[in-house]
Amino acid sequence: MTEIDSFIEGLPKVELHLHIEGSLEPELMFSLAQRNKVNLPFKSIEEVRKAYNFSNLQDFLNIYYQGMGVLLTEQDFYDLTWAYIERCASNHVIHTEIFFDPQGHTERGVKFETVLNGITRALDDGKKKLGISSKVIMCFLRHLSEEDAFKTLEQALPYKDRIIGVGLDSSEKGFPPSKFERVFAKARAAGFLIVAHAGEEGPPEYVWEALDKLKVNRIDHGNRSLEDEKLVARLVRDGMALTVCPLSNLKLCVVKDMRDHPLKKMLELGLKACVNSDDPAYFGGYMNDNYKAVSNALSLTKENLLTLARNSVAASFLSNAEKEALLQQVNAYGRA
Ligand code: HPA
Ligand code: ZN
């Protein structure tokens, strides 16, 4: 292993952009399908992996929504989340803030509470058994209606103590953040923090809308912000974090080649970018793989890598005291 790869492995990392349903590995998909007697359109695990060839976001989403169809019981959501937490441990991820897509489950007849209970029970075990801290963010599916998002927000209110924030994901083009301005205003008023996927495939205008209409605390992806100088200046001025996902960008053809990835440029411009895995079971790797792929392609330095790790600590939804403790860990690692 190269020196930089082993530096990455040991680096204490924070993940801020992870769809828990996107951590469903084909092996677990098959075993849950069997347990729940759900038919899958694939004969083998190899066949599943072969299907993971995407030319855009929608290509991926079609398979992603189909895959989550095996998740039915609280134990299924526990097993899914626990498997991800074990990956956090092996990737030296010390804190994670995960998304879930309640509408992807409630529209199949699975109760909101079943999903949330399974996820949070595994996260609690992650803290108790492995010392990994976590937060939960609920996302609205932007291809569905505003009314459906309002209904989902209503369902979340009784569980506010277990959900730190609200986000926006799914098909981006044609579904601008402004469509959900009123829902996010209500979520904010209820005390949720706000994030939104913007500028992954959609134009810089969607990033402006996420800032000005949804009043986000972080932008998920944000790659296409670089096409708009004024937007870059605004993001820098606000110290707005971008949760960047290198292997996702490659697999969904947001970049043609990892050497074209804008991450280094983002850092040079003073943007608060960080590295995340998005949907690791579908995109070919967890946190270490993402850091390594982008670092090797762009020849990132140890100082760049420490900056990325510090950016994710700073952009997390932890308290200032908790952030300080994690920063100390990153800084101590940098000195050692
Ligand atoms: N973009 C939008 N929606 C998503 C993604 C993504 O990368 N992953 C899961 N849902
Ligand atoms: Zn995402």
Side-chain angles (χ1 to χ4, degrees):
M1 201 189 317
T2 66
E3 198 204 335
I4 209 88
D5 279 0
S6 73
F7 183 80
I8 286 168
E9 291 196 357
L11 179 66
K13 287 168 288 282
V14 165
E15 174 141 73
L16 303 178
H17 185 153
L18 176 284
H19 303 263
I20 196 62
E21 298 89 346
S23 72
L24 177 62
E25 291 287 343
E27 288 77 7
L28 184 58
M29 190 192 293
F30 263 76
S31 77
L32 294 182
Q34 212 163 28
R35 187 156 98 189
N36 293 329
K37 305 188 170 48
V38 173
N39 275 326
L40 284 176
F42 307 107
K43 281 196 212 62
S44 65
I45 286 162
E46 297 76 66
E47 210 177 286
V48 180
R49 291 208 192 275
K50 256 195 232 139
Y52 291 179
N53 237 313
F54 315 113
S55 43
N56 54 43
L57 174 58
Q58 194 58 50
D59 256 9
F60 153 70
L61 289 169
N62 295 339
I63 285 201
Y64 167 81
Y65 293 123
Q66 180 181 68
M68 67 174 80
V70 302
L71 298 162
L72 295 176
T73 68
E74 185 186 315
Q75 191 60 41
D76 298 341
F77 288 93
Y78 179 93
D79 293 346
L80 171 73
T81 308
W82 182 252
Y84 165 67
I85 286 295
E86 287 188 315
R87 298 284 192 154
C88 287
S90 63
N91 280 253
H92 212 161
V93 171
I94 53 179
H95 175 70
T96 183
E97 301 187 355
I98 71 170
F99 300 130
F100 78 112
D101 284 333
Q103 290 154 297
H105 311 299
T106 52
E107 68 180 4
R108 302 182 287 111
V110 180
K111 286 206 181 83
F112 187 95
E113 167 184 59
T114 302
V115 179
L116 188 63
N117 285 347
I119 292 173
T120 51
R121 188 156 58 84
L123 294 179
D124 289 347
D125 280 351
K127 179 68 187 166
K128 270 186 262 169
K129 296 180 182 169
L130 300 169
I132 296 164
S133 59
S134 54
K135 304 273 185 204
V136 174
I137 299 168
M138 153 181 115
C139 287
F140 298 125
L141 300 182
R142 68 205 301 162
H143 68 277
L144 299 180
S145 68
E146 181 195 40
E147 188 194 350
D148 214 329
F150 267 119
K151 249 194 260 164
T152 305
L153 180 58
E154 255 346 281
Q155 288 176 310
L157 290 175
Y159 305 102
K160 236 217 107 253
D161 58 325
R162 289 197 262 161
I163 302 173
I164 186 102
V166 167
L168 186 65
D169 66 359
S170 191
S171 322
E172 188 181 7
K173 284 197 251 176
F175 303 101
S178 51
K179 178 181 168 189
F180 298 96
E181 184 170 0
R182 295 188 296 183
V183 194
F184 277 83
K186 186 165 181 193
R188 262 193 343 268
F192 291 104
L193 296 173
I194 304 296
V195 299
H197 284 55
E200 178 185 18
E201 282 188 346
E205 187 53 41
Y206 286 16
V207 180
W208 282 109
E209 286 189 7
L211 296 173
D212 292 332
K213 302 198 177 218
L214 306 190
K215 307 199 189 304
V216 292
N217 300 94
R218 304 195 287 250
I219 294 282
D220 294 315
H221 294 294
N223 297 38
R224 291 195 57 194
S225 306
L226 297 193
E227 295 168 25
D228 180 341
E229 241 175 74
K230 284 207 178 95
L231 177 56
V232 170
R234 165 74 183 277
L235 293 166
V236 170
R237 189 195 78 198
D238 290 359
M240 181 60 61
L242 306 180
T243 64
V244 175
C245 307
L247 287 172
S248 164
N249 293 155
L250 187 65
K251 280 294 243 182
L252 300 185
C253 307
V254 166
V255 297
K256 276 208 194 73
D257 188 296
M258 196 60 94
R259 284 167 299 186
D260 304 328
H261 198 282
L263 183 67
K264 194 167 189 171
K265 177 96 188 288
M266 287 171 169
L267 294 180
E268 286 163 1
L269 290 167
L271 289 163
K272 299 289 184 194
C274 59
V275 169
N276 306 274
S277 72
D278 208 2
D279 301 280
Y282 292 89
F283 299 150
Y286 289 78
M287 283 289 270
N288 284 345
D289 296 316
N290 273 275
Y291 265 88
K292 286 177 190 175
V294 73
S295 169
N296 292 331
L298 304 178
S299 305
L300 298 186
T301 63
K302 287 185 184 172
E303 207 37 63
N304 290 150
L305 296 165
L306 288 164
T307 298
L308 290 166
R310 288 187 195 112
N311 285 351
S312 44
V313 172
S316 73
F317 292 154
L318 291 167
S319 69
N320 287 338
E322 290 166 324
K323 287 184 194 181
E324 195 48 45
L326 297 194
L327 265 184
Q328 302 274 1
Q329 281 194 58
V330 174
N331 290 339
Y333 185 78
R335 283 191 302 270

